[in-house]
Amino acid sequence: MTPPAWWSELRIPRALHAGAWWLWALGLAAAASRTTNPLLLALLIAIAAYVVVARRGNEPWSRSFTVFLKLGLLIILIRVVIQVVFTSSHGGTVLFRLPELTLPEWAAGVKIGGAITGEALTLAFYDGLRLAAILACIGAANALADARRLLRSVPGALYEAGVALVVAMTFAPRLIEDASRIRQAHRLRGRQVRGVRAVGRVGMPVLQGSLERSLDLAAAMDSRGFGRAAAVDPRYRRSSGPLVLCGLIGICIGLYGLLDGSAAAVVAPAGIGAGLALATAGLFLGSRGSRRTRYRPDPWRTPEWVVSASGMVAALAFVVAATQAHAGMNMMVVPLLLPGMPLLAAAGALVALAPAWAAPPPRDHAEVPA
């Protein structure tokens, strides 16, 4: 019996659309921003890590997720140290005391040293873990999505801005790729690649390689006609720019209302809806005046819809749980309590595991860029 078409789309190895991976990751990041529950945050990090392991390819940037996890641990450490040095009086469970420095009156409100309480350290850990979870979600998108493919999907009206955005997005993966390559070269030569002295040995070649790569990229883009202005009808140019700008402002206002629990409930849907309508109209008019073409555009099929929808479902579950003040979404540190597990948010997070099976398996070899 011939399998259905949607099943073949799930099983045939191919690169998933980069926009679907970024929508999934941004959904997880939005979910992480709405809670301080360490169990939920750890669950989101574990889901991101599982999907990365299950669906990453053999490209050099696919190994960058570990670096983002280490950076998240550094953020947690910095947040706790700041809390210890510039301590504030949260709770009464004193763990130890540091020498206290008395500041002048103009620095009222700032306290250095003094009693370190368990409540203050717990609050700092929760805040740092939330930032680390958001960073892990962004790292998952960097490990799974090819930024060059994302550039090919940018609408013609935003092509110049998209080039700058994609170049910025590829900075971290390329930096990690260069650092790994240079560390491996030092190991093969029997040199020490740990400690402070290794930073200089690795840092200088990385900067030199980044400069050479930038020059090569600029030469390649110039040879392919990037930066050349096309003859666009002035009517399209005058109407598309303000519409896209107003649309992006509306989307930003809506996202602010979505992520900030204190905003009115109508701000998020009204801002996002109006912003999407204006931006779509502006992109449509701008694309009519653009003469750019695409070679073999990436398809958007059933797996792309499933992957992006799973991230949005996770974000929606966390937003609903936070808006309705479900127990355990925002942890209280006074008094110290063991965290619970909100069922709605946990179920929404588990939906984000779908890409581990719904996304097509990656190809075994790196693709040659078009």
Side-chain angles (χ1 to χ4, degrees), residues 233-249:
D233 192 327
R235 294 176 300 172
Y236 296 137
R237 186 187 303 113
R238 285 194 296 267
S239 57
S240 63
L243 285 175
V244 172
L245 180 61
C246 294
L248 293 179
I249 292 175

Side-chain angles (χ1 to χ4, degrees), residues 71-130:
L71 189 57
L73 293 177
L74 180 62
I75 289 175
I76 295 175
L77 178 62
I78 292 175
R79 180 66 181 88
V80 172
V81 169
I82 290 176
Q83 184 69 38
V84 169
V85 176
F86 302 98
T87 181
S88 57
S89 56
H90 285 89
T93 310
V94 179
L95 299 179
F96 56 91
R97 292 182 180 275
L98 294 177
E100 186 172 355
L101 179 62
T102 303
L103 299 178
E105 294 183 357
W106 56 266
V110 179
K111 187 179 178 183
I112 300 179
I116 308 301
T117 63
E119 291 84 351
L121 290 182
T122 304
L123 179 62
F125 175 74
Y126 288 167
D127 288 341
L129 182 60
R130 178 164 57 179

